Amino acid sequence: GVIADACLDKSEDPSTYGMANCSKREYLVWDERLNATYRQMMAELAPDQRRELRNLQRVWIDLSDKKCGFYRVMQPQGSIIIPIASYCAMRETGRQAVFLEMMHEEGDSR
């Protein structure tokens, strides 16, 4: 939330879309980190490990979509769901990026 929270604090665009755009800025940073680590791991891992990593990412994508989508179920009315879901996607992508980076570093240290 470092980029998103600083952007939200400035309140340059206090609309729900403006708030969602703050999260999107940080989401793009995390998404790039996640994809870079994923590509690097896929290039370095053995075939069976690549298959498991691919499966892990597919499950994570599904879980992340369901987790962030659950906000729409819990608060089905109102535009506030737009920045809430956007922040959730940013947060979950950041967590997965850090997880993959840690797994990659642990693999390098063996």
Side-chain angles (χ1 to χ4, degrees), residues 11-101:
S11 300
E12 292 175 11
D13 182 358
S15 72
T16 54
Y17 288 103
M19 290 185 275
N21 283 333
C22 286
S23 297
K24 186 173 182 176
R25 288 182 193 174
E26 185 165 342
Y27 165 84
L28 292 172
V29 172
W30 285 119
D31 190 55
E32 177 55 36
R33 284 178 61 173
L34 186 151
N35 286 313
T37 304
Y38 178 82
R39 284 189 300 271
Q40 191 173 8
M41 290 176 76
M42 290 298 278
E44 296 169 357
L45 294 174
D48 60 324
Q49 292 171 316
R50 285 195 302 267
R51 183 179 60 251
E52 290 303 315
L53 177 59
R54 188 176 304 111
N55 289 340
L56 169 69
Q57 282 303 101
R58 287 177 179 162
V59 169
W60 170 76
I61 290 167
D62 189 47
L63 176 62
S64 180
D65 288 348
K66 284 181 176 25
K67 193 175 197 179
C68 296
F70 190 65
Y71 284 105
R72 296 183 198 289
V73 173
M74 295 303 294
Q75 188 163 355
Q77 296 182 6
S79 61
I80 192 63
I81 195 61
I82 296 166
I84 290 171
S86 180
Y87 199 91
C88 178
M90 180 252 338
R91 183 183 61 239
E92 294 304 314
T93 303
R95 288 177 176 167
Q96 187 67 5
V98 170
F99 171 75
L100 288 184
E101 289 169 356

